[in-house]
Every structure is written in structure tokens, then in C-alpha cells.
Amino acid sequence: MSADTTPTDHRLKPATAHETRQRLEHERATRLTQLQALAEAGEEAAEHLMAAQKETLQRVLKEIDAAFARVEDGRYGTCQGCSKPIPAERLEILPYARYCVPCQRTTD
Ligand SMILES: [Zn+2]
């Protein structure tokens, strides 16, 4: 039996820039795959539905690009509304979040 049990409480630990980039890369790859799938679905899918999905995906991809830029200039993880740090849990769920939850609510 090993004495050094590694704690698994990574929940509250802020991600490193490297982890953040990996997370964002993953998000981007997922959206690009979805866009590709939409393109391949072609006429089988309802046109308007495809357009809406495509628009959503492209909007998210833009957000992901913006998040990458924030990682580069050190502003990543800071709310653009109140300038407070965005909680790590939120960034884990939404790695490209610009706002903390209260600010996001007022923006919507
Ligand atoms: Zn805020």
C-alpha cells in the first residue's frame, strides 16, 4: 500500500496556460469536426437548422480564438465585466468564457 495518495482535488486549482491551451484546442477541434459534419450532412439536414447551427459553431470558434489571444497576453481568466478572476470551475466548463457568472447574466 502506498502512503502518498495523490489528492484528486484539481477542481479549484487554476489551469496553467498550457492546460488552458490544450482545453481550448480541444474545444476548437470539436467545433471544427461539427462544422465538417454539417457540411457533409448536405441536403439531408434542414437548411435553416444547419444555418443556425453553423452560425453558433462559428460564433463559438471566434470566442475560442479570442480566448487564445487572452492566454497570450495574460488576460485569460479575468472577467471582462468586473475585472475579477473567473472561477476555475467555470473555466473548466466553459474554457472560452469572457465573463464571470454574474456579469454573464447582465450581458445576456
Ligand atoms: Zn464579472
Side-chain angles (χ1 to χ4, degrees):
M1 234 168 95
S2 173
D4 63 327
T5 44
T6 318
T8 49
D9 61 331
H10 58 88
R11 274 185 310 134
L12 296 170
K13 198 181 72 182
T16 62
H18 178 69
E19 284 168 341
T20 299
R21 281 196 198 92
Q22 281 189 322
R23 220 177 260 174
L24 290 169
E25 285 286 4
H26 175 76
E27 292 286 330
R28 180 150 69 186
T30 305
R31 265 64 179 201
L32 288 173
T33 304
Q34 287 171 335
L35 268 182
Q36 187 67 37
L38 275 182
E40 282 166 9
E43 296 129 50
E44 286 174 41
E47 284 285 319
H48 69 280
L49 184 70
M50 264 178 63
Q53 273 185 309
K54 207 172 148 186
E55 209 177 282
T56 304
L57 287 169
Q58 281 167 341
R59 198 162 42 102
V60 172
L61 283 166
K62 260 187 212 167
E63 288 298 314
I64 293 169
D65 277 344
F68 266 111
R70 292 199 295 279
V71 174
E72 294 310 315
D73 64 23
R75 286 180 300 126
Y76 181 82
T78 302
C79 175
Q80 296 190 344
C82 63
S83 300
K84 285 181 196 157
I86 300 172
E89 303 86 44
R90 175 159 167 76
L91 290 174
E92 203 157 307
I93 299 162
L94 201 67
Y96 47 86
R98 284 174 189 270
Y99 302 102
C100 66
V101 175
C103 289
Q104 184 72 61
R105 283 209 190 104
T106 55
T107 315
D108 282 342

